[in-house]
Amino acid sequence: MNAPAETRKFEAEVAQVLHLVTHSLYSHKEIFLRELISNASDACDKLRFESIANPELSAGDSELHIDVSWDPDARTVTVRDNGIGMTRDEVVANIGTIASSGTRRFLEAMSGEQKADARLIGQFGVGFYSAFVVADKVTVLTRRADAPESEGVKWESDGKGEYSLEQVDEPLRGTAVILHLKADEDEFLKRWQLRSLITRYSDHVAFPIRMPKEKDDKPTDEFETINAASALWTKPKSEISDEDYQSFYKSLGHDFNDALAWTHNRVEGSQSFTTLLYLPSQPPFDLMMGGRDERKGLKLYIKRVFIMDAAEELLPNYLRFVRGVVDADDLPLNVSREILQHNRQLERIKAACVKRVLDLIEKLAKDEPEKFATFYKAFGNTLKEGISEDANNRERIAKLLRFASTKGDGTSQTTSLDDYIGRMAVGQDAIWYITADSYASAFGSPQLEAFKAKGIEVLLMSDRIDEWMIGSLSEYDGKKLKSVAKGEVPLDEADKKKQEEATKEAEPLLKKLKELLGDRVGEVKVSARLTDSPSCLALSDYEMAPHLARLLREAGQDMPESKPTLEINPQHALVKRVETEADEAKARDLATLLLEQAEISAGAQLPDPAAFVQRMNRVLLG
């Protein structure tokens, strides 16, 4: 006996998604068909995979397909598949709730000041809800392939906060989504319109998409296949146009934008496989936080049979923005995620994918600088993660990185390490850089003064990841990378002599400053870095930059307290004032301000901002 129907409320976030989708995507109404067909294709893929171990699942209906039909009298459009289907619990989980970790980001993006963008759909597992853009009621009939006919499920909602759930007899395996169209959506009751949308967005879905033939403007019971129904990546490249590649990318990546570039390769030999890999032109919103598993990274096929989305197994994390497919000939069809993690053949495929992606990015950098600039703006920081994660390709990745520079074009990150080396002065043996939490902080840092005075170029690294990344990039092309804020500044013999004389002359002042500052500093020294500013901090070669330490503390991490080295410019008027000040309290205020302004310039957090303000006021008032 079937369980009685019940009415449930959507989760609060689902209700928000429904409201935003139905009120914001009017300019891209046709997106619903692409999304429902993609979901149907996923269901067919899953059945085909599960049927490898359990052939009974597809018994009696082994030809997987997707049917799109319309009924002018009932004003309905139906998308039906004979794929895996869903149980009652799966319906509730997949439609009544949203499990995606990126949902809140989606809601923020859709409800922000910028106009909602249809490319957000699909990247958060919310594609099904686009049906409500054109329908005022949606009915779902579904039965899982291994469930009896009596355990079918009927889901129905008008998208206004509630849905009904009912157990029904369902003779057909798979899922049918029935859209009851709104009064002003007659265009989707025309066969030619539905067919043109399928051709535009779903032609390369690897399952037959069928539509009823038409007679006297009415659908008949006879179906015909209207898409190419072949895996694009299996065709020779000579038979695939750029338009075909872009169309497949948009279907694969759920993106309205064109791909920036792609690479399509077939490897033959002891291990044979095909790769089709795309670089998006804009970062997916779920790039940094994960998202719906079925829509992330690369899809793995074995002999055209979909196995899983295996981004972690097929590409390293720093290339997670890449979309595409890998189709292997030699992996066992019953492969599981656990086996994948320890499969040597897959490691070779992964290495090949990494090589192809880096080859593609290098080609952009060399031949299409405008496209490379677009890529780097979107994914440069993600690529930097590879410096720490991929030691085998560290040099290749480093070659692709771009930075702002004291000899560059303002804030633009256009200087490569090779550019820098090409401009190095005779005798210079290091690549100099500075890290900070903004371009302005980096460019204006007092630690740069001596380098600017000598005409030595310095790379200005102001992205949050830079200080962490540079810890794994100690050398490039035989040249050491050195921070202008760490260690000793290189001096010629004449400069060394001047430095020694200045230090000897300033010994009483250094001693006085150390006594005034006490435990707040580890050491006070005469600086070789400063020409105009009174003071700066100097770090040891292995000490973390203050701005990064501050960020980590704000994130809740315990950071060891370190006593900085204060470097001073004895010729500066403020330093001379400390030297001549007889009042100990005033001298202590001045000395402390020397330290605190150095800390602020370095991005450190003042231990007591209120005391700093009071001290500054006392000095200003004399």
Side-chain angles (χ1 to χ4, degrees):
M1 181 177 176
N2 290 345
E6 62 175 311
T7 299
R8 297 188 177 193
K9 288 187 178 295
F10 284 116
E11 278 190 344
E13 288 187 344
V14 176
Q16 287 179 271
V17 168
L18 281 168
H19 177 80
L20 289 168
V21 166
T22 54
H23 289 83
S24 302
L25 294 180
Y26 55 86
S27 61
H28 291 292
K29 293 186 292 187
E30 70 272 15
I31 194 175
F32 80 91
L33 193 57
R34 183 193 74 178
E35 288 302 311
L36 295 181
I37 289 175
S38 288
N39 289 345
S41 176
D42 288 347
C44 291
D45 269 330
K46 289 172 183 175
L47 178 64
R48 187 160 64 172
F49 178 53
E50 290 194 23
S51 294
I52 296 168
N54 186 5
E56 291 297 317
L57 290 177
S58 57
D61 189 13
S62 59
E63 296 297 323
L64 297 171
H65 55 80
I66 301 163
D67 291 344
V68 178
S69 58
W70 75 104
D71 186 333
D73 297 327
R75 296 185 53 76
T76 60
V77 171
T78 300
V79 179
R80 175 180 286 277
D81 66 74
N82 60 344
I84 193 66
M86 291 182 284
T87 64
R88 184 187 184 93
D89 289 343
E90 287 171 334
V91 169
V92 173
N94 293 337
I95 303 179
T97 63
I98 299 180
S100 166
S101 60
T103 301
R104 189 165 299 279
R105 180 74 176 272
F106 169 83
L107 291 169
E108 291 170 358
M110 290 283 285
S111 56
E113 292 182 3
Q114 295 183 344
K115 183 179 177 181
D117 191 339
R119 68 187 177 88
L120 299 177
I121 293 291
Q123 295 177 355
F124 294 88
V126 296
F128 168 81
Y129 305 112
S130 62
F132 288 98
V133 175
V134 297
D136 52 24
K137 184 172 72 172
V138 176
T139 304
V140 177
L141 296 172
T142 185
R143 175 172 65 83
R144 206 177 193 283
D146 54 3
E149 292 185 8
S150 61
E151 293 184 11
V153 181
K154 179 181 179 181
W155 179 99
E156 195 166 74
S157 177
D158 61 5
K160 294 179 180 177
E162 295 182 339
Y163 62 92
S164 66
L165 202 59
E166 182 180 358
Q167 185 173 325
V168 296
D169 292 329
E170 178 54 55
L172 299 177
R173 175 194 77 218
T175 301
V177 181
I178 305 164
L179 282 65
H180 304 266
L181 297 182
K182 297 175 181 177
D184 55 349
E185 303 297 348
D186 290 356
E187 62 181 297
F188 300 113
L189 292 173
K190 296 179 175 62
R191 186 180 195 274
W192 67 267
Q193 172 73 337
L194 294 172
R195 178 166 184 162
S196 68
L197 293 176
I198 292 169
T199 301
R200 186 190 312 171
Y201 294 122
S202 307
D203 195 46
H204 296 294
V205 169
F207 298 98
I209 301 175
R210 311 187 312 179
M211 289 188 72
K213 291 184 177 180
E214 195 172 41
K215 184 176 182 181
D216 299 327
D217 294 328
K218 297 283 187 179
T220 67
D221 294 332
E222 185 180 355
F223 282 78
E224 65 173 338
T225 299
I226 59 167
N227 68 321
S230 63
L232 179 82
W233 62 88
T234 63
K235 296 181 179 179
K237 287 190 282 188
S238 59
E239 297 179 10
I240 309 174
S241 67
D242 286 357
E243 185 179 350
D244 290 334
Y245 278 119
Q246 293 286 16
S247 175
F248 180 69
Y249 165 75
K250 289 173 182 176
S251 173
L252 179 80
H254 296 261
D255 199 341
F256 262 77
N257 300 298
D258 283 345
L260 191 66
W262 60 86
T263 176
H264 185 190
N265 299 280
R266 173 70 182 170
V267 175
E268 302 280 3
S270 58
Q271 186 175 3
S272 300
F273 57 92
T274 300
T275 59
L276 174 53
L277 310 173
Y278 290 92
L279 297 180
S281 58
Q282 297 184 28
F285 273 70
D286 59 352
L287 177 62
M288 301 306 293
M289 61 176 62
R292 181 181 174 188
D293 289 341
E294 291 85 354
R295 302 288 170 85
K296 183 175 67 175
L298 304 184
K299 289 181 177 288
L300 174 63
Y301 291 78
I302 298 175
K303 299 175 183 176
R304 303 189 199 180
V305 175
F306 173 75
I307 303 300
M308 66 179 69
D309 289 281
E312 295 175 5
E313 288 80 11
L314 293 171
L315 277 177
N317 199 42
Y318 74 92
L319 296 177
R320 60 188 177 275
F321 50 81
V322 177
R323 298 295 184 257
V325 298
V326 174
D327 193 344
D329 293 351
D330 307 317
L331 292 172
L333 277 174
N334 63 343
V335 71
S336 67
R337 186 171 293 275
E338 289 72 27
I339 294 173
L340 279 178
Q341 291 172 346
H342 306 288
N343 189 288
R344 289 184 180 179
Q345 290 173 298
L346 204 78
E347 282 298 313
R348 287 194 285 270
I349 295 174
K350 179 177 180 178
C353 287
V354 172
K355 180 181 183 303
R356 295 297 183 190
V357 172
L358 294 180
D359 286 346
L360 182 59
I361 300 172
E362 286 173 353
K363 187 174 185 300
L364 285 184
K366 180 181 178 182
D367 300 333
E368 300 183 81
E370 289 186 4
K371 281 190 175 182
F372 178 77
T374 299
F375 163 80
Y376 196 79
K377 182 179 180 181
F379 305 112
N381 278 354
T382 314
L383 189 67
K384 287 176 183 177
E385 296 173 20
I387 295 295
S388 294
E389 294 176 6
D390 190 353
N392 292 333
N393 289 296
R394 184 172 294 151
E395 191 90 356
R396 291 191 71 182
I397 298 167
K399 192 180 186 71
L400 294 167
L401 301 185
R402 299 292 185 266
F403 306 97
S405 162
T406 53
K407 292 188 178 180
D409 183 19
T411 60
S412 300
Q413 295 184 350
T414 55
T415 300
S416 69
L417 295 177
D418 288 331
D419 293 335
Y420 183 101
I421 291 173
R423 294 195 289 259
M424 282 172 60
V426 175
Q428 183 180 340
D429 61 356
I431 299 171
W432 291 97
Y433 70 89
I434 186 170
T435 61
D437 53 7
S438 70
Y439 170 83
S441 295
F443 186 77
S445 172
Q447 295 155 333
L448 291 181
E449 290 175 358
F451 291 85
K452 288 179 178 178
K454 294 180 179 180
I456 299 174
E457 182 174 9
V458 179
L459 298 177
L460 308 174
M461 302 184 182
S462 56
D463 292 323
R464 286 191 171 187
I465 193 174
D466 288 335
E467 176 74 17
W468 173 77
M469 172 207 70
I470 209 72
S472 300
L473 187 63
S474 58
E475 185 175 310
Y476 176 79
D477 195 22
K479 301 286 191 294
K480 296 286 187 182
L481 273 80
K482 293 184 178 180
S483 170
V484 299
K486 296 181 179 181
E488 299 294 333
V489 176
L491 300 172
D492 58 27
E493 289 303 318
D495 286 336
K496 282 182 181 178
K497 189 172 182 180
K498 287 181 183 178
Q499 180 74 3
E500 289 171 358
E501 291 173 353
T503 298
K504 187 174 182 179
E505 187 177 338
E507 279 182 1
L509 172 62
L510 298 177
K511 183 179 179 182
K512 181 177 182 179
L513 283 168
K514 182 67 176 75
E515 290 174 350
L516 290 169
L517 294 171
D519 290 339
R520 286 195 62 177
V521 294
E523 188 178 0
V524 182
K525 299 170 60 176
V526 172
S527 180
R529 293 174 170 85
L530 300 172
T531 59
D532 301 317
S533 299
S535 61
C536 70
L537 296 187
L539 309 175
S540 68
D541 286 330
Y542 303 103
E543 197 171 349
M544 184 180 296
H547 71 275
L548 180 60
R550 187 193 78 237
L551 289 173
L552 292 175
R553 285 193 189 98
E554 290 172 354
Q557 295 195 31
D558 291 329
M559 300 300 299
E561 293 294 333
S562 61
K563 294 181 180 179
T565 294
L566 178 66
E567 291 191 350
I568 60 163
N569 176 4
Q571 303 307 312
H572 196 278
L574 184 57
V575 178
K576 288 182 177 292
R577 187 175 166 190
V578 177
E579 188 175 18
T580 58
E581 179 60 64
D583 186 309
E584 185 175 344
K586 291 182 178 180
R588 180 170 286 105
D589 276 347
L590 290 168
T592 306
L593 286 175
L594 282 177
L595 172 62
E596 288 174 331
Q597 64 174 270
E599 290 175 331
I600 291 171
S601 296
Q605 186 172 11
L606 295 181
D608 190 347
F612 165 75
V613 173
Q614 293 169 4
R615 194 162 24 251
M616 179 68 74
N617 291 340
R618 287 197 297 270
V619 170
L620 290 173
L621 293 171

